[in-house]
Amino acid sequence: MNQATGLTRIVKAAGYSWKGLCAAWRHEAAFRQESILFIVAAAVACWLDVSLVERILLIGSVALMVVFELLNSAIEAVVDRIGSERHELSGRAKDMGSAAVLIAALIALFIWGSILYQHFWGAA
């Protein structure tokens, strides 16, 4: 068994990651939408006159949502690969993945709302 080590392993892992990002972009509309949202949000966060920590929170919260969307898409792909028949556990797995994305989106909304409120209407 010839397993890649060191730099070879890192290069191969990066290739697999790139393939995963390309597959998500090609097959998952939600991933495309959230990726575009991430680019816009990152640009807005860089434009806003906020502290470094606030900027990291703004960008990181939306990035977290994209990460959870990737995980949700992976769960859905595995469940769909197993079979097309309806099963309670398959539905539960998909619903839980979706719930993770929802919670990440709510966290992002809370962070953005809190920072924007403080920046534009909060006490100085």
Side-chain angles (χ1 to χ4, degrees):
M1 182 181 251
N2 186 1
Q3 290 189 348
T5 59
L7 185 58
T8 302
R9 185 192 62 75
I10 293 170
V11 170
K12 284 187 175 194
Y16 300 141
S17 298
W18 181 252
K19 279 178 60 174
L21 288 170
C22 290
W25 185 266
R26 204 170 24 254
H27 301 288
E28 299 294 333
F31 176 76
R32 290 190 299 273
Q33 293 164 351
E34 291 168 13
S35 295
I36 292 167
L37 173 64
F38 171 77
I39 292 166
V40 171
V44 170
C46 289
W47 173 76
L48 287 172
D49 182 24
V50 294
S51 72
L52 177 62
V53 171
E54 289 171 323
R55 186 169 288 116
I56 290 168
L57 284 168
L58 290 170
I59 295 170
S61 65
V62 180
L64 185 67
M65 191 171 62
V66 174
V67 168
F68 276 99
E69 184 59 48
L70 283 167
L71 293 172
N72 182 45
S73 296
I75 290 167
E76 289 181 353
V78 169
V79 168
D80 290 346
R81 167 63 177 89
I82 291 171
S84 60
E85 70 279 354
R86 297 184 69 79
H87 191 281
E88 177 187 349
L89 293 177
S90 297
R92 190 183 311 165
K94 287 183 169 190
D95 291 347
M96 288 177 177
S98 181
V101 175
L102 174 64
I103 291 171
L106 292 174
I107 290 169
L109 282 172
F110 175 75
I111 289 170
W112 276 82
S114 298
I115 291 173
L116 291 176
Y117 177 81
Q118 180 186 15
H119 181 69
F120 289 110
W121 299 285

